[in-house]
Amino acid sequence: MRIGGSDAVGIAARHAFLLLKPDAVVRRRLVPALEWLTARGWRVVHARRFRVHRWAVRAFWQYQWNTASRDRREMADLYMSATDSLVLLLRAPHDDEWASTILTGDKGSSDPARCRPGQLRHTLGTLNQQLNLVHSADEPVDLVREVGICCTASERTAVYRALVDGVDAVDGALDLARRMEAEHEPLDLSLAGTVARLAGRVDGTGERALLHRRLTGLLDGRPSDWRELITLADRAGVALSRWDRVVLGTYLLVPTLPGVVPLVPDASATGVAVPQ
């Protein structure tokens, strides 16, 4: 089916697409995110799980990916594929603005320093510009595009039917969120927590002692190259998990190429057009 026939634009405008990412899964932030949404009048009309592979990463951020450094690209591939993500289709609490516009403002910036109290990312505890827990479609056309990334043709039919029918799927979404969280050990992805855990496993002399100094130095603001740090851990015989590498990488990497602007501006930073 087509999305709502003659009312396709209106249906896309009244709904928003939200992706709760793997860091939200392992940090047990799925249920709190759903509670935040429902408390603010958002209605869940469809929920599904989706494993974001490297091609999906490029499709989601295709209009901003030209600014991404090599390190950021590699880290995104590593953490976005770590677990399934939770995909939510949401009906806006009111219809005087595009739902995507409302959610973009309400979720907050990808930069933790710019998140404000009450915004979704601030409430959930965003950690850095990569481990920021959520992604949303910036405007109605992106909602249609991103549903296409996550769903096959037959699955899209079910999604669009849910948008047309206006079903209330919050109970199913909460059940799915709890099951997804239960599949993974809860993790502390903060830099301080990761450094403390890794440093506690490092003793002795030589490269292990050097690794200890380099790790603890991160908490004092001493810069370090994440690739060199991970190579040092490998040489010292200290096994790093996928998430250990993600934490070190995302906190230490330079995310964007200097002097390069995105093909389409970041809506969470600049705002997006509101329909008149």
Side-chain angles (χ1 to χ4, degrees):
M1 63 173 288
R2 294 178 298 168
I3 177 171
S6 61
D7 193 31
V9 174
I11 291 171
R14 291 191 294 271
H15 293 87
F17 175 101
L18 184 68
L19 184 80
L20 293 166
K21 301 194 294 184
D23 50 322
V25 175
V26 299
R27 292 183 61 207
R28 298 292 198 267
R29 296 296 192 268
L30 301 185
V31 172
L34 285 162
E35 292 172 343
W36 182 95
L37 290 163
T38 56
R40 283 157 180 79
W42 289 93
R43 181 152 49 92
V44 180
V45 296
H46 187 81
R48 66 172 49 238
R49 61 195 302 163
F50 177 66
R51 183 64 62 102
V52 179
H53 47 71
R54 63 188 299 267
W55 299 116
V57 168
R58 283 145 184 80
F60 277 124
W61 291 283
Q62 63 174 307
Y63 299 116
Q64 295 82 32
W65 211 232
N66 65 303
T67 70
S69 64
R70 174 192 170 191
D71 288 349
R72 181 180 173 187
R73 293 169 186 260
E74 291 191 9
M75 278 295 113
D77 289 343
L78 191 61
Y79 70 76
M80 288 302 298
S81 62
T83 73
D84 285 352
S85 294
L86 180 61
V87 175
L88 300 175
L89 275 298
L90 305 163
R91 175 67 187 259
H94 50 82
D95 296 338
D96 56 341
E97 294 180 72
W98 286 339
S100 299
T101 303
I102 300 169
L103 188 59
T104 293
D106 286 353
K107 78 180 178 187
S109 172
S110 60
D111 181 354
R114 296 172 55 219
C115 275
R116 301 190 303 275
Q119 292 179 322
L120 177 57
R121 281 173 169 154
H122 188 280
T123 300
L124 298 182
T126 186
L127 294 174
N128 60 47
Q129 288 190 9
Q130 283 71 58
L131 299 180
N132 55 37
L133 299 156
V134 305
H135 162 75
S136 68
D138 289 335
E139 54 185 285
V141 69
D142 284 319
L143 177 146
V144 177
R145 182 177 64 83
E146 295 184 13
V147 167
I149 296 170
C150 298
C151 303
T152 64
S154 60
E155 290 169 341
R156 291 195 296 274
T157 298
V159 171
Y160 295 147
R161 174 55 62 193
L163 268 59
V164 171
D165 293 345
V167 297
D168 184 349
V170 67
D171 289 340
L174 284 166
D175 179 66
L176 178 56
R178 293 186 181 102
R179 285 188 281 115
M180 288 175 63
E181 289 181 342
E183 292 169 5
H184 302 278
E185 178 185 356
L187 298 177
D188 177 359
L189 301 184
S190 68
L191 182 61
T194 300
V195 165
R197 182 170 45 77
L198 292 176
R201 293 166 44 199
V202 179
D203 55 12
T205 60
E207 289 185 328
R208 293 178 72 88
L210 175 60
L211 177 61
H212 187 278
R213 290 196 298 274
R214 293 281 296 277
L215 286 169
T216 55
L218 297 177
L219 302 183
D220 297 327
R222 281 176 270 173
S224 184
D225 180 272
W226 73 273
R227 292 180 185 276
E228 292 178 0
L229 196 59
I230 288 173
T231 298
L232 177 59
D234 291 339
R235 289 203 312 263
V238 178
L240 300 180
S241 70
R242 176 198 290 248
W243 284 109
D244 292 334
R245 295 169 187 264
V246 165
V247 170
L248 295 175
T250 58
Y251 275 97
L252 300 177
L253 62 79
V254 176
T256 56
L257 300 172
V260 180
V261 297
L263 299 175
V264 175
D266 179 2
S268 66
T270 63
V272 295
V274 177
Q276 301 298 318

